[in-house]
Each structure stands twice: as structure tokens, then as C-alpha cells.
Amino acid sequence: MVAQKAKVTIFDVAKASGVSSSAVSYALNGKPGVSDATREKVLQEARKLGWRPNGAAQSLAQSRTRRIGLVLGYDPQLLSVEPYIMRLISGLGSALEERDYSLLIRMSMDDDDDVSILEDWIATGNVDALLLLNLEIGDPRIDLMKANPQMPCLAIADASLTGGLPTLTSDDAGASGTMIRFLASLGHRNIARVAGPEELGHSYIRDAAFSEITTELGIRYRCLHADYTPESGADATKRLLSVTPRPTAIIYDNDVMALAGESVASMKNVSVPDELSIISWDDSFMNVAAHPAITALGRNVLESGRLAAQLMLKLIDGEEVEDVQEPPYELVERDSTGPPPRSKFAAHSQR
Amino acid sequence: MVAQKAKVTIFDVAKASGVSSSAVSYALNGKPGVSDATREKVLQEARKLGWRPNGAAQSLAQSRTRRIGLVLGYDPQLLSVEPYIMRLISGLGSALEERDYSLLIRMSMDDDDDVSILEDWIATGNVDALLLLNLEIGDPRIDLMKANPQMPCLAIADASLTGGLPTLTSDDAGASGTMIRFLASLGHRNIARVAGPEELGHSYIRDAAFSEITTELGIRYRCLHADYTPESGADATKRLLSVTPRPTAIIYDNDVMALAGESVASMKNVSVPDELSIISWDDSFMNVAAHPAITALGRNVLESGRLAAQLMLKLIDGEEVEDVQEPPYELVERDSTGPPPRSKFAAHSQR
């Protein structure tokens, strides 16, 4: 494990072929300037010696790195708590692989770090394009990328947050309506929500949509902001269950908090779905494995990842990219939702 | 988003400084051959113009890419079902960041692909070191890496599987003993296990240890192999619960299957832990969020990732690396384990 073993170079190939190194270079790169016989001979010797193009030299020559950059915020709790990021990476990776691209990941320790990693990539050209996730309102990364249009960049976020950058966007406002109307159709008139962190862009979009639609439908709505962890989801659930009149349905902004909420209900002998309906925003194996299995608003995150990769490859190729919608949310009805409790319980909860 | 904007090159700096490009190169690279005054002037102009070293050119010059390669098997279900990989990536990323290294990820579509991506990295020098995960028995990647000692490589696996490559290893046999002895101390004499895929190296190690230790302690033991998904964990649990005499405790090789198993018990009105104890091998938020919360054998995966990164950086620096143990497993006792059911139930289960 000391110095790297010398690679086979074009000089080795030149020596073996009995021609000059520039002739080898022409031959290997498919350029004119050598006879067909020489080209054939060179390719033969190159194969025999096991010559392979040098990655860095090739990058320089093509000014392509064949890498897409992704900065992940270093919050082990948040990163590992949800299957979302890993699914997105799976989708990205599989689509990039079709073009021999790879994903270059760096971990940012704080917001400043986030920006400085992007600055470094822009300055050094270490990646061909960038993907931005988890945008906050007024995110400094947007200005940075707008000031550097030479670096292709795609954001996964609501288009209202991305200042005109190419965006893969999801219809969170529409999805909020889907869930509220589903619960309303079951008869619920008193709905609560355990949301993600208030400063995240998509929390903001969802908050606005929930207020608006519940007001429009005349439904009582309250919201507590948590941080996606099971502990915060459990705490919020305990508080919501102690309110009078108790909400008859709770929507959780992720699957982990929904599972934690269902456990709190079980501990407090609040029967799901007879006394409380539960919906998870984002579907995963956790909702399937829970008992009762949790109704969820799912979407194909893998497909989002693939789509994001394809859009970035288009940007790299110099094509125009319009804002694109993520695969739509779909409500998967399971056992955790039903009509609200009847008057007997309602009277009980309002005593 | 068309062609890349021309970067500031040393020629631009040369023009602005009124010196030759080789003088600029000497000055910027801190080499002798220019006067102090010229060096000062060049640095000043370079700063003014915003010159940054070109990533690929710098890589060529240093023969370092500052990248660590990781190939992930493309199985969206497996990749997203467990928090393990994402935690490992968090740990790797945070330790690599301290040395300005990044993680280069490619997705392999099948086993052959796995090997050919590694071959490509070895041939092109596109990464400084490689990390191998999820080794199978007789894994072809081991031979490939042994044939290419110039590429630093670390495996996370049981050392018996890695043919002498530097290895970060976990004491799975010891951990198997910890769980069996814990259950034996509670009084269990009939234990089952829902394991991961039989072909995985660490399943094999665990299988051997479980057989040996249960035989030694005179404990009845049976094992069903599943694939880490909730569906497979639920199926195996249903089968185990229909066996007579029914096992009084089930150990699951991951958290997702443990959660699914607990749900099956709840559906079948088998009370946890009064009639059935449940342990998860690998701890996560899911075990905390479940009801009852699930006893688990945990370890600090984040720290494993950090350790793996540090070992790879040592290998890159040409240092010797002995096999290293991962952070130890620790049993976190929660509410899903207790003494086995008393004779009344035992009689019932044997009717």
C-alpha cells in the first residue's frame, strides 16, 4: 500500500508499437494523422498491455468530470431517520450509471460550509453539475448558483423557492388538499398536523396550504412543528391528545413521526382508527410494518431521483430545462384511517 | 446553461502580471525561479482575478483525486429499507470532510457490474481508495483487490471473508452469544431467529455462531432466512408462531423485520413480551418508535463510518493498517423482552 504502481502509458504503447507517442495518441483518440495499419497495430498493442485512459487526463481533455455533486447537511439524526435521501440516491445513481456518471458526495457541517463546498466545486470544476436539496426560505445557495450560471444546477424544491433555477418540484399544496379532503369525506371536522421544521421551505408551503384549505372547508385545524424524529413526533402527539376537543385525525409530515404517534396512541389506549385516524406524509416500509398499517401519501422517490439525474444530464449537454413536476403523490389507504368517533366519544372528549 | 464559462487560467494571470506563464506557474506553485517581487505581484493578480487551481489539473499534478470510491448494489428495496447505509455514509462523509476528501458513489446493477466498476476505478485512478461492503462468501471483489495492491482498499466485513485485505470487522459471533445468553438469563429455552439472506457473509458467520452457542447451552433453536424486508419478516414470523411448541423469543437480523414481527404478534393477539420476546439486531429510531419499544443490539454505525474513513486515509498515506474492530455491539433493553410465558401458556402451546 505504498506508491501507486506505474500505469501503462502511451509511451509504453509507443515503444511496443515502434511508433511515436503522438502517433499513439492520434490512434487511441481516433484522430486522423496515422495510417490505418499503424492505428490497428497501436490498438492491438494497447489492448495487449492493458492500457486504459487516465481518468484525470481524460477529464482535462474532455472538460467533463462525469460527476454530479451533492452536498448533504451533516445531521446524522435527520439523515438516517428517513428513507427519503437513500431512495433518492438510489434513483440518482441508477440513472447516472446509464451515462457512466457518478455521484460525488460531500458532507457539510453547517450552512456556511454548505456554501463554501459549492464555491469550491464551482471554482475547481470538480463536478459537471450540482443538485440542491432541502432549500430554506431565502437560501444563500440560490444566489450563489444564480451568480454562476456556467455551473449547471438543479433544485428539488417548490418552484417558489428557487428563484428561477431549473427545478424539480412537487405539488405539496395540492397534496395537502388531497389529505384534508380525504379526511373530510370520512367525516372529520377537527384535524391536527405534526409538521417538519418551520424553517424548511416545504414546511412553509404546506403550512400555508393547510391553513387555507381547512379555512375554506370550515375545518378546525391546528399544527405543531417538530423535527422529523420519533421523540419530537411522540411529544407533539401527547400534546395534541391532551387538547379538548381532541382532534379526530392527525397528519404527520413523515413516516417516523407517524409511527411514533401511533405508539403514543396505543400507550394512551386511544384506539386507531376508531378514536383517532393517522396519516403519514411519505410512504415507506414503516407504514406497512406498523400495526395498524398506516395510511400514507406516497410518491415514487426512486423515480424522482432518476428524473433529477436525467434533468442534470440534459443541463450538462446544454439543453434547456423547464421546471418539471415530480411523480405525483398518491394516497395509499391502509388501516389507520376511518370515520371519526361517534357522539358518545365526542361527548366524552368534550366533557 | 450552454458551454462552461472560460475559467481564469494562468495565462490570464500572466497577462495581468506582465510576466511569462511559466513565471506564474513557479510563483503560484511556490517553486523557485522567480523573484520575491514577481511572486508577490503574481499572487496579487491571481487573487484579484479569482484564479483557482483546476481540479483535474491539480489531481494530475498531485496524483491524488481526494476521492474515496464506494459501489452500492442497486437494490432500492434493500438500500432504502435500512438506516444502516445512510448512517455509514454520514460517518464516512464527516471524517473525509476533515481532509477535504469526498465520497464517489456508483450504483451497480448486478454482481458483474460491481466488479467492472472497481476495475474501471483501478485502471483510471479515478479514486484514491476503495471501500467494500456486503461481501459474499467467495466474493470476486476480494481476488480483484488482491491482484491490485496499488489501490488502497478497506473491507467492512468479518475478517474471515476478506482474504487478508485490511478489514474493519465486527464481532458478530460474540454478539450472537450476548443475545442468546441474555434470553437464557430470562429463562428462555426455545429461541428462533429471522435471519438475513443466507448468501451474505455476515449471515453465515451469525448462523454458525447461533447453532454452536445454542447447542452448547442446550437451547432449542430454529432459524428462517428472510431478506430484510417487512414482508419477509412478517411471513417468517407467521410461520414461527404456528410451530408447536412455539418459540418464546425471536431475534430478528434487522430492525425492519423486528417491527414487522411485532405487528404480526399484535395481529395474532400474541402479547409482547408476556407471550413472546422480541430482539432486533441493529438499533434505530424504529425500535424506539415501536410499541412496545423493541430491545435491540445496537452499535454506533456513524462511528464505524468515521473509523472506516480514517483507515482509508491512512492506507492512502502509505501507512500499514491492521484489522480493526468496529465499535462494540451493545444490548439496549426496552419493553419487548421479558421472561417466557409460565406453564399455563406452555401447556396451551403444546396442546
Side-chain angles (χ1 to χ4, degrees):
Chain A
M1 299 290 159
V2 201
Q4 234 170 292
K5 190 174 82 180
K7 281 178 203 138
V8 177
T9 67
I10 59 165
F11 303 103
D12 300 317
V13 179
K15 203 169 154 196
S17 317
V19 299
S20 72
S21 59
S22 27
V24 170
S25 172
Y26 294 148
L28 293 176
N29 291 301
K31 289 183 186 158
V34 285
S35 70
D36 286 352
T38 301
R39 189 183 307 278
E40 187 51 39
K41 171 79 180 157
V42 166
L43 290 174
Q44 204 175 11
E45 292 298 331
R47 264 195 299 270
K48 240 191 261 174
L49 290 169
W51 175 87
R52 295 285 289 266
N54 173 299
Q58 214 179 18
S59 292
L60 265 186
Q62 303 177 338
S63 46
R64 286 282 170 88
T65 63
R66 299 202 166 274
R67 290 187 288 271
I68 298 283
L70 173 62
V71 182
L72 294 176
Y74 180 71
D75 183 335
Q77 181 70 334
L78 265 190
L79 272 181
S80 63
V81 98
E82 284 188 286
Y84 174 80
I85 293 278
M86 200 61 234
R87 278 198 190 165
L88 191 74
I89 290 177
S90 299
L92 284 167
S94 72
L96 292 178
E97 205 54 40
E98 290 161 15
R99 285 270 301 266
D100 274 329
Y101 262 76
S102 44
L103 197 61
L104 190 66
I105 291 186
R106 287 190 61 174
M107 203 65 62
S108 82
M109 300 297 148
D110 56 45
D111 287 357
D112 290 350
D113 209 24
D114 224 8
V115 168
S116 79
I117 291 173
L118 296 182
E119 283 174 340
D120 183 64
W121 277 344
I122 292 167
T124 60
N126 215 346
V127 295
D128 295 345
L130 289 171
L131 179 64
L132 300 184
L133 297 180
N134 286 334
L135 290 177
E136 298 185 5
I137 302 166
D139 201 298
R141 291 175 290 174
I142 297 293
D143 287 340
L144 176 67
M145 297 317 300
K146 285 174 77 176
N148 290 279
Q150 78 281 10
M151 174 62 81
C153 172
L154 180 80
I156 299 187
D158 192 277
S160 66
L161 297 166
T162 58
L165 287 179
T167 301
L168 181 60
T169 188
S170 60
D171 183 15
D172 278 25
S176 305
T178 301
M179 285 190 287
I180 298 167
R181 287 193 188 91
F182 169 69
L183 290 172
S185 75
L186 290 171
H188 294 271
R189 314 301 299 165
N190 181 1
I191 295 175
R193 175 165 156 255
V194 177
E198 203 161 7
E199 64 273 22
L200 284 184
H202 67 269
S203 296
Y204 181 81
I205 305 286
R206 294 173 183 190
D207 287 353
F210 266 89
S211 298
E212 203 167 295
I213 302 165
T214 50
T215 304
E216 194 185 300
L217 297 178
I219 285 176
R220 178 193 287 260
Y221 165 68
R222 65 188 69 237
C223 173
L224 292 176
H225 289 91
D227 67 2
Y228 292 136
T229 62
E231 294 81 4
S232 73
D235 280 356
T237 306
K238 280 175 201 159
R239 279 182 283 151
L240 289 172
L241 292 184
S242 65
V243 168
T244 307
R246 198 160 77 190
T248 60
I250 306 180
I251 295 165
Y252 292 86
D253 268 20
N254 79 350
D255 42 9
V256 179
M257 296 195 295
L259 180 63
E262 190 172 84
S263 291
V264 167
S266 166
M267 268 184 282
K268 292 191 167 290
N269 292 315
V270 175
S271 166
V272 175
D274 296 341
E275 295 173 273
L276 179 71
S277 286
I278 284 180
I279 301 186
S280 161
W281 191 323
D282 269 353
D283 199 8
S284 79
F285 53 88
M286 261 178 273
N287 298 319
V288 179
H291 180 68
I294 298 172
T295 295
L297 193 73
R299 60 180 163 165
N300 193 335
V301 177
L302 203 70
E303 197 47 43
S304 286
R306 292 187 57 83
L307 200 51
Q310 286 156 358
L311 293 174
M312 285 187 288
L313 291 170
K314 275 192 179 178
L315 290 170
I316 292 169
D317 290 343
E319 294 178 39
E320 284 287 323
V321 165
E322 305 284 319
D323 289 353
V324 174
Q325 284 280 330
E326 282 194 275
Y329 284 110
E330 278 171 36
L331 193 73
V332 182
E333 205 176 335
R334 298 202 180 89
D335 307 328
S336 67
T337 41
R342 298 185 165 262
S343 48
K344 183 190 149 206
F345 171 74
H348 170 76
S349 78
Q350 281 167 25
R351 69 185 160 181
Chain B
M1 297 294 158
V2 201
Q4 232 168 294
K5 189 176 82 181
K7 280 177 202 135
V8 177
T9 67
I10 59 168
F11 302 102
D12 300 318
V13 179
K15 202 171 157 195
S17 317
V19 300
S20 73
S21 60
S22 29
V24 171
S25 172
Y26 293 147
L28 293 176
N29 291 300
K31 290 184 184 155
V34 285
S35 71
D36 287 351
T38 302
R39 189 183 307 277
E40 187 51 40
K41 173 78 181 152
V42 166
L43 290 175
Q44 207 175 8
E45 293 298 332
R47 263 194 299 270
K48 239 190 265 174
L49 290 170
W51 175 87
R52 296 285 290 265
N54 173 298
Q58 213 180 17
S59 292
L60 265 187
Q62 302 178 340
S63 44
R64 285 281 170 88
T65 64
R66 298 203 167 274
R67 291 188 288 271
I68 298 282
L70 174 62
V71 182
L72 294 176
Y74 180 70
D75 183 335
Q77 180 70 334
L78 267 189
L79 273 180
S80 63
V81 97
E82 285 187 285
Y84 173 81
I85 293 276
M86 201 60 236
R87 280 198 188 165
L88 191 75
I89 290 176
S90 299
L92 284 166
S94 72
L96 291 177
E97 206 53 42
E98 290 162 15
R99 287 268 301 267
D100 274 329
Y101 262 76
S102 44
L103 197 61
L104 190 66
I105 291 187
R106 289 190 61 175
M107 204 64 63
S108 81
M109 300 297 149
D110 55 45
D111 287 357
D112 290 349
D113 208 24
D114 223 9
V115 168
S116 78
I117 291 172
L118 296 182
E119 282 174 340
D120 183 64
W121 277 344
I122 292 168
T124 60
N126 216 346
V127 295
D128 295 345
L130 289 172
L131 179 64
L132 301 184
L133 297 180
N134 286 333
L135 290 178
E136 299 186 5
I137 303 166
D139 201 298
R141 292 175 290 174
I142 297 294
D143 287 339
L144 176 66
M145 297 318 299
K146 286 174 76 176
N148 290 279
Q150 78 282 10
M151 174 61 81
C153 172
L154 180 80
I156 300 188
D158 191 277
S160 67
L161 297 167
T162 58
L165 288 179
T167 301
L168 181 61
T169 187
S170 61
D171 184 14
D172 278 26
S176 304
T178 301
M179 285 190 287
I180 298 168
R181 287 192 188 88
F182 168 70
L183 289 172
S185 76
L186 290 171
H188 294 271
R189 315 301 298 164
N190 181 359
I191 294 174
R193 174 166 157 257
V194 178
E198 201 160 11
E199 62 275 21
L200 283 183
H202 67 267
S203 295
Y204 182 81
I205 307 285
R206 293 173 183 191
D207 286 354
F210 265 90
S211 296
E212 202 168 296
I213 302 165
T214 50
T215 304
E216 194 186 301
L217 296 177
I219 285 175
R220 180 193 288 259
Y221 164 69
R222 67 188 67 237
C223 174
L224 292 177
H225 289 89
D227 67 2
Y228 292 135
T229 61
E231 293 81 5
S232 72
D235 280 355
T237 306
K238 280 175 201 162
R239 279 183 283 151
L240 289 171
L241 292 183
S242 66
V243 169
T244 308
R246 199 161 76 190
T248 59
I250 305 180
I251 296 165
Y252 293 86
D253 268 20
N254 79 349
D255 41 9
V256 178
M257 296 195 296
L259 180 63
E262 191 172 82
S263 291
V264 167
S266 166
M267 267 183 280
K268 292 190 167 291
N269 292 312
V270 175
S271 166
V272 175
D274 295 341
E275 297 173 273
L276 179 71
S277 286
I278 283 179
I279 300 185
S280 161
W281 190 323
D282 270 354
D283 199 8
S284 79
F285 53 87
M286 261 179 272
N287 299 318
V288 179
H291 180 68
I294 299 172
T295 295
L297 193 73
R299 59 179 164 165
N300 193 334
V301 177
L302 204 69
E303 196 48 43
S304 285
R306 292 188 57 83
L307 200 51
Q310 286 155 358
L311 293 174
M312 284 188 288
L313 292 169
K314 275 194 180 179
L315 289 170
I316 291 168
D317 290 342
E319 293 178 40
E320 284 287 322
V321 165
E322 304 283 320
D323 288 353
V324 174
Q325 284 280 329
E326 282 192 276
Y329 283 111
E330 276 170 38
L331 193 73
V332 183
E333 207 176 333
R334 298 202 180 91
D335 307 328
S336 67
T337 42
R342 299 186 164 263
S343 47
K344 182 191 150 207
F345 171 72
H348 170 76
S349 78
Q350 282 167 23
R351 68 186 162 179

